[in-house]
Amino acid sequence: MKKILVLLILIFMLISCGEKSNGSKEKISGEILIDGSSTVAPITNAVTEDFRMEHSKVSISVGVSGTGGGFKKFIDGEIDIANASRPIKQEEIEKAKSKGIEFVELKIALDGLTIVVNKDNNWISDISTEDLKKLWIEGSQIKNWIDLNPAYPNLPIKLYGPDQDSGTYDYFIEEIIGKNGHIRKDYSPSSDDNQLVLGVEGDKGALGFFGYAYYLEQKDNLKSLKINGIEPSEENVKTGKYIPLSRPLYIYINKKSLSEKLQVRYFVEFYLKNASVIVKEVGYVPLESYVEQENLIK
């Protein structure tokens, strides 16, 4: 009996220790401030929801002021993590250095920037990068669809796209218009991709562009265009066939936050461990592996 009693006590102690060990992460608290790309926001929001189920005492704020807007706040030390749909620019790196901000860059997904039109548009299903440039470049005289192609209707083109703080805006200019080019001014800009979706949905002559996940979410209400004969799809993005509009998506973490805020470290670890599943659920394309990046935060 004594042996059994001692054994039971040992088992109880081991279980108690295990519960304390497993419960240690549950006790973390504090806040995590995140801002930046509206393209990356759906991934980070989904990660946040799952993370809160395990760590309910951590307060997480996810803003969508655009990649450029997020980097401004990140460089000023206002946020812990910046969502970005483009790599950080050299001038932004220099500003960060001047303010003592060190960071870790992590790729978290692949995206296929998607060109969309109204679902009732029955005259175009494929557009060339050349025509995209003619349509969007500063000084363009294309006002109606017939101006782009005589076979198209004489219907005004209403353009919707990200604003100047968006990484998608920068990416589109570099890949379609040219690195030193500019987008025409007479389009409807927004830092919120949901507003762009609503704009295209509400106008038969509309055309816009934004991240692939936003198209998938509203694919019954929108029509995507092929680019040079290649449709936006998970397979085409992953294999690099969907060019030039396939791109990586990022998060940038303040190193000080990573080392001094336990909640930030746990969040980033959780992000990387669950990204492959969450990224796909949201509608983007997961990377082949996240293992190497996990070493960057240790």
Side-chain angles (χ1 to χ4, degrees), residues 144-163:
N144 296 340
W145 281 98
I146 197 171
D147 300 329
L148 188 64
N149 187 320
Y152 297 159
N154 191 18
L155 182 71
I157 297 178
K158 180 67 174 177
L159 297 174
Y160 293 86
D163 64 18

Side-chain angles (χ1 to χ4, degrees), residues 34-49:
I34 307 170
D35 207 323
S37 168
S38 61
T39 303
V40 180
I43 304 171
T44 300
N45 281 327
V47 172
T48 296
E49 287 180 15

Side-chain angles (χ1 to χ4, degrees), residues 3-289:
K3 288 182 179 179
I4 293 173
L5 183 59
V6 170
L7 183 60
L8 288 172
I9 291 171
L10 286 172
I11 292 172
F12 177 76
M13 289 174 67
L14 287 170
I15 291 172
S16 297
C17 289
E19 287 176 347
K20 286 178 182 178
S21 175
N22 292 332
S24 62
K25 288 189 178 183
E26 295 293 338
K27 295 178 181 178
I28 65 170
S29 59
E31 68 175 355
I32 303 173
L33 300 177
I34 307 170
D35 207 323
S37 168
S38 61
T39 303
V40 180
I43 304 171
T44 300
N45 281 327
V47 172
T48 296
E49 287 180 15
D50 288 356
F51 183 79
R52 279 178 178 150
M53 292 175 69
E54 296 185 15
H55 308 286
S56 59
K57 292 183 179 180
V58 178
S59 172
I60 307 174
S61 170
V62 182
V64 285
S65 59
T67 297
F71 276 138
K72 287 174 188 175
K73 293 181 180 181
F74 188 74
I75 291 165
D76 287 338
E78 296 176 15
I79 58 176
D80 303 296
I81 299 172
N83 292 327
S85 59
R86 61 161 172 81
I88 190 168
K89 296 177 181 177
Q90 187 58 41
E91 58 263 36
E92 291 166 333
I93 294 174
E94 295 302 323
K95 286 180 182 178
K97 281 182 180 178
S98 71
K99 295 192 176 185
I101 301 293
E102 296 182 333
F103 59 84
V104 176
E105 175 193 86
L106 298 177
K107 287 183 183 179
I108 46 92
L110 299 174
D111 176 33
L113 198 157
T114 308
I115 310 297
V116 298
V117 293
N118 186 274
K119 67 176 182 178
D120 294 327
N121 183 318
N122 59 2
W123 57 88
I124 185 171
S125 58
D126 191 344
I127 191 166
S128 67
T129 49
E130 183 182 356
D131 278 351
L132 273 177
K133 182 175 181 178
K134 287 178 185 176
L135 179 59
W136 280 93
I137 195 167
E138 185 177 41
S140 174
Q141 296 304 304
I142 297 173
K143 304 294 184 182
N144 296 340
W145 281 98
I146 197 171
D147 300 329
L148 188 64
N149 187 320
Y152 297 159
N154 191 18
L155 182 71
I157 297 178
K158 180 67 174 177
L159 297 174
Y160 293 86
D163 64 18
Q164 293 183 31
D165 279 334
S166 168
T168 303
Y169 173 95
D170 293 330
Y171 185 84
F172 186 82
I173 287 177
E174 187 164 338
E175 296 298 330
I176 298 298
I177 296 175
K179 197 166 186 178
N180 298 315
H182 299 280
I183 280 180
R184 61 193 293 174
K185 301 294 190 296
D186 58 337
Y187 81 102
S188 296
S190 177
S191 61
D192 184 350
D193 289 348
N194 288 305
Q195 292 302 313
L196 303 179
V197 169
L198 290 173
V200 177
E201 284 180 356
D203 191 321
K204 187 176 180 179
L207 179 145
F209 64 92
F210 37 75
Y212 183 59
Y214 284 91
Y215 160 68
L216 281 185
E217 194 175 67
Q218 296 292 330
K219 65 180 180 180
D220 293 335
N221 302 313
L222 295 169
K223 175 182 172 182
S224 67
L225 300 185
K226 295 178 182 177
I227 304 298
N228 300 325
I230 306 298
E231 65 179 355
S233 69
E234 179 179 341
E235 183 63 23
N236 288 339
V237 170
K238 182 177 282 188
T239 60
K241 190 176 181 182
Y242 184 68
I243 53 173
L245 297 182
S246 295
R247 57 176 178 167
L249 302 177
Y250 305 85
I251 58 172
Y252 288 79
I253 307 101
N254 185 313
K255 278 190 176 181
K256 185 176 181 181
S257 296
L258 197 59
S259 63
E260 296 182 3
K261 297 182 180 181
L262 196 59
Q263 69 271 27
V264 173
R265 174 171 288 278
Y266 278 138
F267 180 78
V268 175
E269 287 176 353
F270 185 91
Y271 205 126
L272 289 176
K273 286 176 182 176
N274 295 277
S276 59
V277 174
I278 291 175
V279 163
K280 195 163 185 175
E281 286 176 350
V282 170
Y284 291 116
V285 180
L287 304 177
E288 291 294 332
S289 174

